[in-house]
Amino acid sequence: VNTVLLISGSWCVARAVQAMRASAPRTAGHWLLGAQLCGGGFVAVKLAEYTDKAQAWADMGENTFYMLYFMLTGFHFLHVVVGMLALAYLWLRTRQGAYTHYNCHALETGAAFWHMVDLLWIVLFPLVFETLIMTMACLTPITLDRLRISQLAGGLPEKTCVFVKVL
């Protein structure tokens, strides 16, 4: 859901810039509001996730995954909020007639920032959740003795995690 919201927000921002270049400031304002709604949806979903993981937040010092999860997604969350503030300012300036089809540099800059936030999520999402899957696999480590690999591996520690990709 988060990825769909952010990509939809980026599409709305791109349409806003396109509308302004076509001398349609009212339409550009509507697209900026659409981007704001998508950003607001992302914030709401993230806050619900954080609320759901409140106990993990309390145990953050003891669990490396949750510490990194909250740091990375929290950093991104703050950028989304800053992007929403920028979009709100751009919407206000658009409604005031500050931009024209040949002078919409600020709108393009705000759009570039929003796209950067979107791109960051596209990289961050698989990184965080791939790590989650690997961490979950490591919660119940398979001992190397049971797999009879320890003889080949030269006696690795018994609690070494083994990740097996199931095809």
Side-chain angles (χ1 to χ4, degrees):
V1 173
N2 286 332
T3 305
V4 170
L5 286 168
L6 288 178
I7 290 173
S8 298
S10 280
W11 183 71
C12 290
V13 168
R15 296 288 298 177
V17 171
Q18 186 180 32
M20 186 56 70
R21 287 182 184 157
S23 296
R26 184 172 172 86
T27 303
H30 291 290
W31 284 115
L32 287 172
L33 284 177
Q36 285 280 69
L37 286 173
C38 291
F42 176 86
V43 167
V45 169
K46 258 318 179 202
L47 287 174
E49 283 179 23
Y50 288 156
T51 302
D52 188 47
K53 292 174 178 53
Q55 182 58 41
W57 184 276
D59 298 334
M60 192 166 62
E62 298 171 15
N63 188 321
T64 305
F65 170 76
Y66 279 111
M67 180 181 70
L68 291 172
Y69 169 80
F70 285 117
M71 285 176 53
L72 292 172
T73 61
F75 186 69
H76 180 263
F77 180 87
L78 291 175
H79 278 81
V80 170
V81 171
V82 169
M84 288 179 62
L85 292 172
L87 292 177
Y89 174 77
L90 292 170
W91 174 81
L92 181 64
R93 297 291 290 153
T94 298
R95 298 291 290 166
Q96 293 172 346
Y99 309 121
T100 62
H101 69 283
Y102 61 89
N103 180 21
C104 58
H105 180 71
L107 187 59
E108 292 168 339
T109 302
F113 180 81
W114 188 262
H115 294 315
M116 182 275 308
V117 170
D118 191 19
L119 180 62
L120 181 62
W121 180 255
I122 290 170
V123 171
L124 189 63
F125 179 76
L127 176 72
V128 167
F129 291 98
E130 179 74 20
T131 303
L132 174 64
I133 291 167
M134 293 177 78
T135 301
M136 294 309 223
C138 198
L139 289 176
T140 55
I142 302 168
T143 61
L144 293 175
D145 286 337
R146 286 181 24 211
L147 292 176
R148 299 181 186 251
I149 296 175
S150 61
Q151 297 165 347
L152 299 172
L156 293 173
E158 184 176 312
K159 292 281 183 171
T160 300
C161 292
V162 177
F163 298 104
V164 179
K165 184 173 184 179
V166 180
L167 300 176

